[in-house]
Amino acid sequence: MTSMTREETEALIQEVLEVYPEKSAKDRAKHLTANDPAVEQSKKCITSNRKSLPGVMTIRGCAYAGSKGVVWGPIKDMIHVSHGPVGCGQYSRAGRRNYYVGMTGVNTFGTMNFTSDFQEKDIVFGGDKKLDKLVDEIEQLFPLNKGVTVQSECPIGLIGDDIEAVSKKKTKEKQKPVVPVRCEGFRGVSQSLGHHIANDAVRDWVLHNRDNDNRFESTPYDVTIIGDYNIGGDAWASRTLLEEMGLRVIAQWSGDGTLAEMENTPKAKLNLLHCYRSMNYISRHMEEKYGIPWMEYNFFGPTKIEESLRAIAARFDDKIKEGAERVIAKYKPLMEATIAKYRPRLEGKKVMLYVGGLRPRHIIGAYEDLGMEVVGTGYEFAHNDDYDRTIKEMGDSTLIYDDVTGYEFEEFVKKIKPDLIGSGIKEKYIFQKMGIPFRQMHSWDYSGPYHGYDGFAIFARDMDMTLNNPCWGKLQAPWKKTESESVTKAA
Amino acid sequence: MPKVMLRYSDKGKLLFYVAKKDQEDEIAKVEKDDENAWGGEVELTDGSKFYIDPISPPPKFPTTLMFKKA
């Protein structure tokens, strides 16, 4: 392995920072570090969740993206109105591939775009009347909707519309929840605050709706999947495993989720939290208010799945523990076959990741199962509690970068020369043109699911397909090739 | 005056979580922790200290409490 030493990593960071003006370099230095697994608390080595520097390319989103795109958007039977000008909703429509079942436009609305389409008049005179009318229109056109959320775009906060008042009035009229979400894009430094705001809106407007309604029959094995957005069917691949071991999944937050599921969540016995970053707030709230414990789990790669299934089962009785062992045993042959097939083709390859949420740390296990090594990882919008969890997962002296800029990421890649990069669509073509295999790890490069045992088989195939694609040897024009190169290629 | 969520970790230790600061640390020492009261000066594993007037009877965790910087 050609791993770098601590000195080399630190020298690389210094080298990359050199081009910045002094003040910017000082600021960016706090966000880059060589990992030291011995460090207990990440705040000693990395700063996160700070405003990006002006003038650098950041890959972050906004609070609206965090609320409408991540937390609320996948709730399929509610209509999420992008309240404000049309662009925010239209350009982000259906991009995240959160799968769901249902008849779109009749009883589910996941891939549709609803917007109040603000014009000059609405900015000048306020848009509350328009919102009022819009909710009525929705009711008329889509009577099977279970509720409406008002996802504010920037202008709503700037002109001071009172969407709460309209929502309260419409909730009463419609007898369905109309939820105002104050997720104006300018709030906070990244989409992370949008997650928090969305969680708070769930807490204030939805979660307690069925507190006095005991018609839902709960069992001792009720769990929920929280923070799984069903990208390419992820939540389904996770759900089947939990159900096979004898648990009952009563809610999915929020991939393929419904309003009723959210309202019934307080009746669960355990909240299973996959994406800690976006849903820890509501999990903590439920623990406090309803006494439902929560635990984080990781369904990427057989090693981590096994660990997680056992950890989940440990919270229940022997029947579930047996179930977990049964599930692990059942999928063992499939996993062994997958690893036997792909590991020889992927062994020893180096990977760099730069994504958001839970993936920079959760996927490491899956790569390790395939014999690959993650040499650099970083989050777009993590907080320090995410880095606390990452430090333990990453190898010594590997590179960790927070809110990395386009320039830094390119320079790191040029120096470290990974065999594979996993990041977003904006990075994809730059690195492919540099001749480096790339997977778009936000929505699994139009593949998936990657969670669960079934997902791992797909994950392994995709990584092989990308890394060992013959196109990487054809990037240089044949007449520019030197003699020796063509000989090695042929051999 | 940080608003603090207190909950038990998997290991059974009491965790001190300040959402606004992303701070989550175990509580190392509490001045008063018996059947009658809980509170006083609270020291975390990272060395920082907070203060809360002793609460009697002791609160049920998890809960949210307001602390003062000590």
Side-chain angles (χ1 to χ4, degrees):
Chain A
M1 226 37 252
T2 50
S3 301
M4 298 200 299
T5 61
R6 173 163 304 275
E7 288 72 39
E8 281 170 339
T9 312
E10 271 158 12
L12 171 63
I13 294 173
Q14 283 315 316
E15 193 189 325
V16 167
L17 287 173
E18 252 166 36
V19 298
Y20 285 126
E22 198 184 330
K23 207 177 150 197
S24 311
K26 207 176 137 201
D27 183 279
R28 285 302 308 160
K30 293 177 199 157
H31 295 262
L32 309 168
T33 187
N35 187 37
D36 180 1
V39 173
E40 282 285 312
Q41 286 173 320
S42 62
K43 64 184 165 197
K44 289 184 181 133
C45 58
I46 199 158
T47 307
S48 58
N49 200 32
R50 290 283 177 275
K51 190 175 166 298
S52 308
L53 286 178
V56 299
M57 281 288 252
T58 171
I59 297 147
R60 284 175 162 177
C62 66
Y64 165 85
S67 175
K68 159 73 169 41
V70 177
V71 176
W72 279 105
I75 309 284
K76 60 180 175 178
D77 60 356
M78 291 178 89
I79 286 177
H80 311 288
V81 179
S82 300
H83 192 40
V86 65
C88 303
Q90 181 57 17
Y91 290 114
S92 63
R93 183 192 72 87
R96 208 150 166 269
R97 299 175 59 249
N98 349 65
Y99 286 0
Y100 58 91
V101 278
M103 190 69 84
T104 303
V106 179
N107 59 4
T108 50
F109 311 94
T111 51
M112 294 171 79
N113 176 29
F114 295 87
T115 177
S116 47
D117 188 21
F118 262 38
Q119 304 294 318
E120 223 173 320
K121 164 175 85 69
D122 305 307
I123 301 289
V124 176
F125 297 107
D128 286 343
K129 273 193 197 126
K130 194 170 198 175
L131 182 62
D132 188 296
K133 199 172 150 206
L134 179 147
V135 176
D136 289 336
E137 277 176 21
I138 284 177
E139 204 51 35
Q140 210 168 26
L141 288 166
F142 304 99
L144 293 182
N145 78 75
K146 294 288 179 350
V148 174
T149 68
V150 182
Q151 307 284 338
S152 317
E153 292 167 14
C154 295
I156 307 306
L158 295 172
I159 63 176
D161 270 11
D162 193 355
I163 58 169
E164 282 86 2
V166 181
S167 301
K168 265 185 200 145
K169 179 178 158 225
K170 294 318 259 186
T171 307
K172 226 176 210 168
E173 272 178 39
K174 266 164 56 93
Q175 295 293 310
K176 286 178 190 174
V178 178
V179 183
V181 190
R182 281 285 178 189
C183 57
E184 287 90 351
F186 55 75
R187 291 182 198 272
V189 298
S190 65
Q191 54 266 60
S192 186
L193 189 68
H195 304 144
H196 199 153
I197 292 167
N199 275 233
D200 288 354
V202 174
R203 179 194 68 196
D204 294 341
W205 296 80
V206 174
L207 204 63
H208 50 79
N209 284 0
R210 299 196 189 190
D211 275 3
N212 301 316
D213 179 351
N214 292 319
R215 282 175 296 169
F216 183 81
E217 285 173 31
S218 56
T219 70
Y221 302 119
D222 288 356
V223 296
T224 59
I225 295 179
I226 294 198
D228 192 325
Y229 300 101
N230 204 27
I231 290 159
D234 276 344
W236 296 330
S238 311
R239 184 183 182 127
T240 47
L241 296 183
L242 296 171
E243 284 174 348
E244 267 180 72
M245 63 191 264
L247 297 169
R248 188 170 78 146
V249 178
I250 61 164
Q252 279 176 228
W253 289 51
S254 55
D256 195 32
T258 60
L259 178 66
E261 283 174 37
M262 291 181 108
E263 288 173 344
N264 278 328
T265 303
K267 299 181 168 68
K269 295 290 176 293
L270 177 65
N271 283 329
L272 298 174
L273 184 58
H274 206 237
C275 180
Y276 170 84
R277 180 72 274 129
S278 60
M279 288 266 187
N280 78 80
Y281 317 100
I282 199 76
S283 308
R284 286 175 196 277
H285 170 73
M286 280 194 267
E287 182 177 42
E288 210 175 295
K289 188 171 173 195
Y290 300 99
I292 307 167
W294 55 276
M295 63 177 288
E296 292 170 63
Y297 69 106
N298 178 355
F299 269 5
F300 283 104
T303 315
K304 290 287 172 189
I305 298 175
E306 229 175 272
E307 262 173 42
S308 298
L309 286 177
R310 292 209 172 103
I312 292 166
R315 305 276 188 131
F316 292 93
D317 58 14
D318 287 345
K319 191 187 133 198
I320 302 296
K321 281 178 196 147
E322 258 166 55
E325 295 305 322
R326 198 176 59 238
V327 173
I328 293 167
K330 181 185 163 190
Y331 287 96
K332 202 135 218 175
L334 171 71
M335 287 303 101
E336 277 167 2
T338 310
I339 291 174
K341 185 172 174 191
Y342 293 109
R343 192 167 174 137
R345 299 169 64 85
L346 298 168
E347 184 102 57
K349 301 282 189 198
K350 290 186 288 178
V351 189
M352 274 175 86
L353 295 170
Y354 177 60
V355 268
L358 66 147
R359 285 152 292 162
R361 65 171 175 277
H362 270 40
I363 311 182
I364 297 171
Y367 281 117
E368 280 170 358
D369 284 332
L370 290 169
M372 298 162 84
E373 191 198 5
V374 179
V375 293
T377 197
Y379 296 81
E380 283 170 34
F381 54 84
H383 298 200
N384 270 35
D385 37 4
D386 292 291
Y387 286 104
D388 285 342
R389 290 161 170 78
T390 314
I391 290 172
K392 296 175 203 134
E393 302 278 337
M394 287 291 284
D396 192 29
S397 308
T398 48
L399 195 57
I400 294 185
Y401 29 84
D402 176 66
D403 185 26
V404 77
T405 67
Y407 158 76
E408 287 163 16
F409 198 21
E410 269 175 54
E411 291 303 308
F412 286 147
V413 166
K414 278 181 202 159
K415 292 284 152 44
I416 294 176
K417 297 195 181 68
D419 301 291
L420 178 72
I421 300 172
S423 188
I425 193 70
K426 296 192 281 306
E427 296 79 56
K428 180 173 182 173
Y429 300 103
I430 298 164
F431 290 123
Q432 285 191 342
K433 284 171 187 172
M434 282 162 72
I436 299 163
F438 187 96
R439 288 297 295 184
Q440 190 263 95
M441 294 302 273
H442 286 288
S443 61
W444 310 143
D445 229 339
Y446 321 102
S447 177
Y450 283 179
H451 292 178
Y453 284 121
D454 293 332
F456 180 70
I458 298 166
F459 174 81
R461 182 205 63 191
D462 285 355
M463 293 310 136
D464 174 47
M465 206 163 70
T466 310
L467 250 167
N468 295 316
N469 195 309
C471 74
W472 304 117
K474 310 229 178 291
L475 285 174
Q476 206 174 16
W479 60 88
K480 282 188 179 161
K481 261 188 198 154
T482 56
E483 192 77 17
S484 60
E485 265 180 54
S486 46
V487 171
T488 38
K489 284 278 146 57
Chain B
M1 284 270 281
K3 198 170 151 188
V4 180
M5 286 182 111
L6 295 154
R7 59 183 287 265
Y8 286 107
S9 71
D10 298 335
K11 293 176 210 140
K13 293 267 175 63
L14 206 52
L15 285 170
F16 189 94
Y17 176 71
V18 191
K20 289 225 164 132
K21 295 256 183 267
D22 295 312
Q23 182 185 26
E24 187 164 35
D25 287 304
E26 277 174 15
I27 292 181
K29 216 166 65 198
V30 187
E31 198 181 302
K32 244 192 180 118
D33 187 9
D34 48 42
E35 306 94 77
N36 302 323
W38 187 95
E41 200 175 75
V42 171
E43 197 181 322
L44 308 184
T45 44
D46 73 338
S48 51
K49 284 178 185 165
F50 293 86
Y51 178 82
I52 188 166
D53 290 326
I55 302 165
S56 168
K60 266 202 182 130
F61 302 112
T63 186
T64 300
L65 298 169
M66 295 295 278
F67 279 77
K68 278 185 206 141
K69 284 234 171 85

